[in-house]
Every structure is written in structure tokens, then in C-alpha cells.
Amino acid sequence: MIMSRVNAPFPYWRYFKMSKDRELDQSLVAVHGHIAGLIERARKRRRDQPSEIRHNLLEAMLAASEQADSGITDDIISANVMTLLLAGEDTTAHALAWTMLFLCTEPGMQARMHEASAEVLGAARVCPTFDDLERLALFEALTQEATRLKPIIPVLLMEPVVDVVLDDVALPAGTPIFFLLRPAMLDEKHFGKPQAFLPERWAEGHHQVQPHDGHAYMQFGAGPRVCPGRHLAGVEMRLVLSMLCRNFSMELTVDPQSIQEVPAFTMMPSAMPVRLRTVGL
């Protein structure tokens, strides 16, 4: 419904509503009620168990709102939680799906990642401790490289809040601006060997493949509107991919050329059927 409204030539729902619009309204009431419950339970937990430790993003926002003149209201907190709920599922799932494509089609990649996961996980089937996540950076790099080539966020829509001039182009406040993100990520001025799948370009120091301009990678946005769940997504990528590579061999069951890019809320694959076979150490 969000994407249908984004792409609608006319905001008809502001003037009359069809059954699907009424269903959306009902769903939003339920979602907002759930979010209000999350906020209230988190606030009660902070009252009942005072601590300087922020156990999650919601508690961090609540702690910030308690500061004098913070300007952070429950409406602002609710909007951020809504963003996480909306943008934190499809984005992660589709990023993992595109990563599977490269794991299944890049020669030697699975063997290399199996060794890397086994080195950290040992006999465990999943990452044993939070501290071990630091040693799984290469698995997050897999997803960064996959989404550089197959961006799940291929377009950003923005508008200036004041009149500005950008590269000699006058942009009055409120002008819709569409930013196409893939061209910069495939530009050899920003990334060496831009068409190649090279996760090591994201390793610490970025020395393996040059040039490397991380600012051209805009899958999480930037500035004050940067994705609040970017670090959570990185943790999820490390956990899921290390588990898969530690325990399974993966085989794509269709011709990779048959997999199409489908623009929806995020850019997702038309299909990604993968056969998993268990492997040992």
C-alpha cells in the first residue's frame, strides 16, 4: 500500500477511500496501538529497573527524551519505531536474498566463507557470543558488496526544505528530487573493479581494492536521516550468513539469468530458490 501510494499519480485516498484504504487505516490503528504498548512497557521497565545501560534503541530514545529540552516527544519516538518496523524486515530479507545469489554463483566463495565461519563458530551451529560478532565482519561485507551491485534501495526521494542551488540548478523548497544510487556505486571513480564481486573491498582499512569511496554507498542514507537500524541490520547479516555458511552448502536451483529485479518497497529478486545441504566441520 505504501508503494502504491508513492507511485499513485493522484492522492485519491485524501478525498475518498476504497476498501483497501479502509483496511490500511484499520491496520495502522493496530500498529500504532502495538507501538504505544512497546513504549509504555519500555518506560515501565526503566522505572522499575533503573540502569545506565540502554538495552535497545527504544530505551536509548526514551533516555534521550528524558533530558531537559530534548524536544523528543512520544510522537517522534513512535515514528522512529514505525520506521524500524516498516524498513527493518523487507530490507534485511531482500539483502540476504541477493547475497545468496552471489554466494551460489561466485566460484570458491562458499568454501572460503565456510572456513571463515568455522574458525569463529567452531563446533557451534550459530555464533556463540555477542563478542564473537566482531570476528564476523566479512559476512557483513558480503551483504554490502551484494547490495552495491544489487541495491535494495535503488532510489531515494528527497526534497529541500529551503530554496537551494545545487550544481548551478535552482531547487525551490519542496521540489521532489529522485536520486538514483546504483550509478555511483558502479562508477570506477568510486570503486575499483566496479563490476566485480569483491567483499574484501569492505574490510577494515579498505586497502584491498582501490579506489574505495564508502560515501558513494548510500543504502542506509546519510546525515540526520540515516537509517536508525543500520547497525542492527549488520548484526543480523553476520548472524544469518555465518550460520548458513557454517552449516550448509548452497546451490541455486534456477538459471541466475532468470532472476529479475522487482522494484517494490525495496528492490527484491523475482525468485531465489536455493537448495541447502548440511555440511560438517
Side-chain angles (χ1 to χ4, degrees):
M1 284 299 293
I2 290 172
M3 287 309 297
S4 68
R5 289 189 173 186
V6 167
N7 294 319
F10 174 73
Y12 69 86
W13 56 90
R14 296 179 183 173
Y15 305 95
F16 65 91
K17 293 189 177 183
M18 296 186 285
S19 60
K20 62 180 181 180
D21 299 296
R22 291 190 291 271
E23 290 176 8
L24 176 63
D25 289 343
Q26 294 172 358
S27 297
L28 286 174
V29 170
V31 170
H32 283 297
H34 177 66
I35 291 173
L38 290 174
I39 293 173
E40 183 54 37
R41 287 192 294 274
R43 183 170 279 137
K44 183 177 184 301
R45 190 165 55 246
R46 285 178 48 75
R47 288 196 303 264
D48 296 344
Q49 303 172 16
S51 171
E52 294 298 320
I53 298 175
R54 316 295 184 239
H55 295 93
N56 51 51
L57 181 60
L58 177 53
E59 289 191 7
M61 289 190 290
L62 288 172
S65 71
E66 294 163 4
Q67 303 300 314
D69 301 322
S70 71
I72 301 175
T73 65
D74 276 10
D75 285 343
I76 291 175
I77 294 173
S78 178
N80 277 277
V81 175
M82 174 71 89
T83 299
L84 284 173
L85 290 175
L86 284 176
E89 292 192 21
D90 285 3
T91 48
T92 305
H94 295 158
L96 286 167
W98 285 120
T99 305
M100 294 290 284
L101 173 66
F102 293 98
L103 277 172
C104 290
T105 56
E106 290 292 320
M109 184 62 66
Q110 285 192 53
R112 176 184 169 195
M113 301 312 296
H114 176 70
E115 292 178 2
S117 60
E119 180 180 347
V120 177
L121 273 59
R125 294 295 183 179
V126 297
C127 182
T129 70
F130 187 80
D131 291 339
D132 288 320
L133 282 170
E134 293 186 8
R135 302 168 59 197
L136 296 172
L138 187 56
F139 292 89
E140 186 176 349
L142 279 175
T143 307
Q144 288 177 290
E145 185 69 347
T147 52
R148 183 183 68 83
L149 295 165
K150 296 286 189 180
I152 57 168
I153 308 294
V155 180
L156 285 180
L157 170 60
M158 300 182 180
E159 62 181 48
V161 295
V162 296
D163 296 343
V164 296
V165 176
L166 180 63
D167 199 19
D168 294 330
V169 177
L171 299 171
T175 303
I177 305 172
F178 292 86
F179 290 89
L180 303 181
L181 302 188
R182 181 148 40 182
M185 296 192 291
L186 297 180
D187 191 331
E188 61 185 6
K189 292 185 297 185
H190 299 300
F191 295 101
K193 302 178 181 178
Q195 299 296 334
F197 182 78
L198 300 171
E200 56 268 27
R201 75 171 78 241
W202 299 98
E204 186 176 355
H206 310 303
H207 299 311
Q208 289 83 346
V209 186
Q210 293 295 324
H212 178 91
D213 181 4
H215 296 294
Y217 178 84
M218 294 284 289
Q219 289 298 278
F220 293 101
R225 295 288 184 177
V226 70
C227 173
R230 63 195 185 282
H231 297 305
L232 172 62
V235 168
E236 292 174 330
M237 302 300 180
R238 296 184 187 206
L239 289 173
V240 173
L241 291 174
S242 63
M243 178 275 295
L244 286 171
C245 292
R246 160 64 183 81
N247 298 294
F248 301 99
S249 65
M250 292 162 269
E251 176 189 0
L252 195 63
T253 61
V254 297
D255 181 353
Q257 299 302 317
S258 69
I259 298 173
Q260 303 298 311
E261 298 176 352
V262 179
F265 184 64
T266 59
M267 192 186 81
M268 61 183 181
S270 56
M272 195 62 67
V274 173
R275 180 178 292 115
L276 303 179
R277 292 188 174 90
T278 55
V279 296
L281 285 174

